[in-house]
């Protein structure tokens, strides 16, 4: 079956520094993944691992250095703006930066109605807006004429989801949509993603560093580290039985809401981000508790342990290699 | 293991409101409303609650910085300084300033902005030392700073870096190290781990625990993340609409949460290995400028009774060290709600 989204060997490089001391960062390094319809797929990893860069390229906001992106089998080109904005919508981290504080929030909705000719009359428009707002637990009545600062962060994030839904997208790309909201409101947002998937068949590319909500909502997950996908599979497989030492570190570092389960060992934190990006061999070698000599020299291959992709020398010989 | 210790910071019926003039009419935001706290020596006291419930305002008040539009409406704040309890709100500005420098330190929310972006970390340290330490011991303090940075596991050459060269987590740890430099008896941290990646967050928590163990002081830590509280706090106060509605040891709060609000906070957390549907707290928090009558949680509470709409419950003490203000739990000390 045709995939809703297919990303193949996507690479993005940035040149940093002055002309003399130029360094080239491979922010995204030949990553491949796909998404099915009505699926929540998570891209997880700590800040500066290439999540936003990937999202921006899939959204057509940035150009890839190399690689292919297929939307329902059709290649994405930067010129196909129309298709991109209709089928794919985005939600960002800070809902307060999505809306201009001097504009009423409803004006954005009417603008979308007008740009996409979604309704013939104002009454029809209001009905449509109300319908979208209701799917996120709000109503037109409690929102009309208000400015962004009259809403809480959680409400505003739900409003930005309703706005994304206006054009009936097949895919929503949500870049850290819960990292600015309270733990208690996080669940309201991720429950909404579940509802969109189950009731409207919408797929969500959920970008986060919060593995607990990722486990809760998503079907499959890819763990990124410094531009690479280091582990990918179903959330059950990846998060309940993590194989890559980096996934294990992430999993162990989530504070459990259980005072009897606190950490006993100490953790090694990252060196400067760019040092890790520029590292030869495995990028995680500098912090890996299981590091071997070859990790510092050789880039690990994509190995399959069962259905799970693991990019780690530890699994060399124990599994099959990438089918490609 | 628990050590009986003395109270180091205490509030009595503390009320601090924002008094705002809105086109000639007064608007009063009841951000800290009748709060009684007794925080001990040698403990990490956690404060949890949704955003907007008054956590930051309470910390400002505990730090004894109450500046317009925030006003002290009533109540007292006591610090125990050199074995003696001092009421601090009535001190002179100079006395308040000295206490803040030597006795209590504050890590503000988004504290990465504490570091001056155009100065090297070393220069920020020097500025801090120049304004806090007498001339003759400044050199010594700078040496201490260098030693402390290494002890806390930060890279030694960090002092020669500019803030923008460091990651957010590294800047946050530098700020915490700086706030601990003069060995304050009380450290106050406002969401120091929020918006950090899990691994970095773990590093920050590790550092706070380490500092507390070394200095044997008191840390008051605000975060909405119950997972963080479970890992660091000895006791937790749950704040709702400007009030502490439940307080207990960390074990009591997690094993036996009694207030329906606390139960929501804990039960809504996703758990690995359990994909059961989890509900967040229904509805949204009330406006602190227009509080509902009775218990402020009643409009969102699934167990509301008539009395909840009428009056605020006082505290019941279901167990030693555990108190809760909820009509479901007991009669409470009515009218004396915190
Ligand atoms: N426009 C840009 N110019 C230069 N470097 C960039 C740019 N955008 C991102 N980067 C670098 O690429 C890496 C990945 O960044 P990003 O995709 O934003 O990560 P994440 O979203 O996972 O935090 C980082 O090292 C970042 O500094
Ligand atoms: N400077 C201010 N002026 C007026 N109202 C304020 C000010 N700061 C905070 N508030 C209000 O006080 C209440 C409590 O805020 P805050 O203490 O920041 O809560 P929290 O830290 O729990 O999010 C909120 O309703 C907020 O809008
Ligand atoms: Mg990002
Ligand atoms: Mg706050």
């Amino acid at each position: 079956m045709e995939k809703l989204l297919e990303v193949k060997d996507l690479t993005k490089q940035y040149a940093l520094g002055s002309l003399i001391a130029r360094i080239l960062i491979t922010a995204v390094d030949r990553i491949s993944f796909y998404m099915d319809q009505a699926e929540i797929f998570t891209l997880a990893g700590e800040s500066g691992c290439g999540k936003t860069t990937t999202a921006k390229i899939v959204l057509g906001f940035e150009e890839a250095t190399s690689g292919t992106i297929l939307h329902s089998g059709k290649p994405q080109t930067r010129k196909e703006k129309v298709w991109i904005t209709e089928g794919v919508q985005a939600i960002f981290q800070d809902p307060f930066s999505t809306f201009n504080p001097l504009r009423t929030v409803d004006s954005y909705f009417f603008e979308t109605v007008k740009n996409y000719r979604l309704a013939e009359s104002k009454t029809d428009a209001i009905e449509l807006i109300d319908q979208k707002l209701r799917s996120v637990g709000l109503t037109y009545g409690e929102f009309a004429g208000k400015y962004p600062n009259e809403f809480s962060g959680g409400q505003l994030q739900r409003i930005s989801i309703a706005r994304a839904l206006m054009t009936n997208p097949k895919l929503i790309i949500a870049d850290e949509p819960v990292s600015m909201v309270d733990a208690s409101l996080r669940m309201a947002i991720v429950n909404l993603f579940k509802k969109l998937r189950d009731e409207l068949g919408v797929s969500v590319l959920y970008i986060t560093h919060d593995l607990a909500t990722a486990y809760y909502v998503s079907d499959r997950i890819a763990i990124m580290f410094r531009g690479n996908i280091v582990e990918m599979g179903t959330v059950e497989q990846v998060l309940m039985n993590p194989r890559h030492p980096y996934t294990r570190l992430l999993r162990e570092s989530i504070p459990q809401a259980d005072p009897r389960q606190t950490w006993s060992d100490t953790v090694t934190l990252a060196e400067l981000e760019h040092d890790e990006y520029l590292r030869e061999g495995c990028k995680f070698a500098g912090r890996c508790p299981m590091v071997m000599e070859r990790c510092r020299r050789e880039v690990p291959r994509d190995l399959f342990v069962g259905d799970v992709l693991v990019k780690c020398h530890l699994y060399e010989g124990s599994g099959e290699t990438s089918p490609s | 293991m628990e050590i009986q210790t003395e109270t180091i910071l205490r509030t009595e019926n503390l009320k601090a409101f924002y008094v705002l003039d809105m086109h000639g009419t007064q608007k009063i935001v009841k951000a800290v409303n009748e709060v009684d706290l007794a925080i001990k020596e040698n403990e990490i006291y956690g404060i949890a609650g949704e955003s907007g419930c008054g956590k930051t305002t309470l910390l400002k008040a505990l730090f004894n910085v109450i500046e317009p539009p925030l006003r002290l409406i009533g109540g007292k704040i006591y610090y125990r300084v050199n074995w003696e309890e001092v009421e601090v709100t009535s001190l002179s500005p100079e006395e308040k300033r000295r206490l803040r420098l030597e006795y209590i330190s504050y890590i503000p929310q988004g504290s990465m902005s504490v570091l001056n972006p155009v100065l090297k970390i070393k220069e920020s340290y020097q500025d801090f030392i120049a304004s806090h330490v007498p001339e003759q011991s400044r050199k010594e303090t700078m040496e201490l700073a260098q030693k402390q940075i290494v002890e806390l596991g930060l890279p030694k050459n960090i002092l020669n870096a500019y803030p923008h060269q460091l990651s957010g987590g590294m800047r946050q740890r530098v700020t915490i190290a700086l706030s601990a430099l003069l060995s304050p008896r009380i450290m106050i941290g406002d969401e120091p781990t929020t918006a950090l990646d899990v691994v970095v967050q773990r590093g920050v928590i590790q550092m706070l625990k380490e500092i507390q163990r070394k200095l044997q002081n008191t840390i008051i830590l605000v975060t909405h993340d119950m997972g963080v509280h479970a890992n660091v706090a000895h006791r937790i106060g749950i704040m709702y609409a400007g009030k502490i509605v439940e307080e207990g040891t960390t074990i009591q709060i997690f094993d036996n949460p009694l207030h329906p609000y606390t139960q929501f906070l804990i039960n809504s957390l996703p758990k690995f290995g359990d994909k059961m549907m989890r509900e967040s707290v229904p509805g949204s928090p009330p406006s602190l400028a227009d509080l509902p009558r009775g218990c402020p949680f009643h409009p969102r509470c699934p167990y509301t009774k008539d009395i909840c709409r009428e009056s605020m419950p006082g505290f019941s003490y279901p167990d030693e060290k555990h108190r809760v203000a909820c009509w479901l739990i007991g009669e409470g000390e009515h009218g004396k709600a915190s």
Side-chain angles (χ1 to χ4, degrees), chain A residues 14-16 25-28 45-54 56 62 175-176 207 226 273-274 277:
Chain A
Y14 290 111
L16 303 174
I25 296 278
T26 308
V28 175
E46 64 201 319
S47 81
C49 69
K51 304 182 298 293
T52 297
T53 304
T54 305
K56 281 184 181 161
E62 286 228 32
D175 192 357
E176 311 250 12
I207 296 178
R226 302 298 178 227
E273 182 179 309
H274 288 160
Y277 261 115

Side-chain angles (χ1 to χ4, degrees), chain B residues 18 20 29 31 50-57 69 288:
Chain B
Y18 293 98
L20 309 166
V29 180
E50 283 165 292
S51 91
C53 74
K55 301 181 299 296
T56 296
T57 312
L288 300 185

Side-chain angles (χ1 to χ4, degrees), chain A residues 45-47 152 155 179 181-188 191 194 209 211-213 215-219 235-236 239-240 246 249-263 265-270 272-273 287, chain B residues 49-51 55 165-167 170 173 194-206 209 224-228 230-232 250-251 254-255 261 265-266 268-281 283-284:
Chain A
E46 64 201 319
S47 81
S152 69
Q155 280 174 323
S179 63
V181 297
D182 277 5
S184 55
L185 278 171
R186 277 180 193 181
M187 294 315 282
N191 278 337
K194 275 192 163 180
H209 59 247
L211 291 188
T213 54
Y215 174 78
Y216 174 75
V217 296
S218 40
D219 301 299
V235 282
E236 276 325 311
L239 295 178
M240 295 311 289
Y246 177 63
L249 172 69
L250 281 182
R251 180 68 177 74
E252 280 161 20
S253 297
I254 298 159
Q256 296 296 301
D258 178 352
R260 290 181 188 83
Q261 268 188 44
T262 57
W263 305 293
D265 51 344
T266 53
V267 59
T268 316
L269 292 180
L272 293 176
E273 182 179 309
R287 286 195 265 161
Chain B
E50 283 165 292
S51 91
K55 301 181 299 296
Q165 293 173 311
L166 307 177
S167 66
M170 195 70 89
R173 285 184 297 147
T194 301
L196 296 178
D197 294 332
V198 283
V199 181
V200 179
Q201 171 174 286
R202 180 172 164 192
V204 168
I205 291 171
Q206 203 168 278
K209 282 177 142 174
H224 64 256
D225 189 334
M226 293 302 285
V228 171
N231 271 276
V232 288
T250 302
I251 297 278
F254 280 91
D255 282 4
Y261 179 63
L265 283 186
I266 291 171
S268 68
L269 296 169
K271 290 193 180 65
F272 286 101
D274 175 8
K275 281 199 159 193
M276 281 255 300
M277 186 72 179
R278 287 182 192 274
E279 297 295 341
S280 48
V281 194
S284 34

Side-chain angles (χ1 to χ4, degrees), chain A residues 3 11 27 30 40 49 59 65 80 119 167 199 221 238 266 281 296 304:
Chain A
K3 304 293 183 199
T11 297
R30 284 167 295 147
I40 300 178
C49 69
L59 281 164
T65 307
E80 275 186 26
T167 54
E199 291 173 16
I221 187 167
V238 173
T266 53
R296 303 186 200 277
F304 280 86

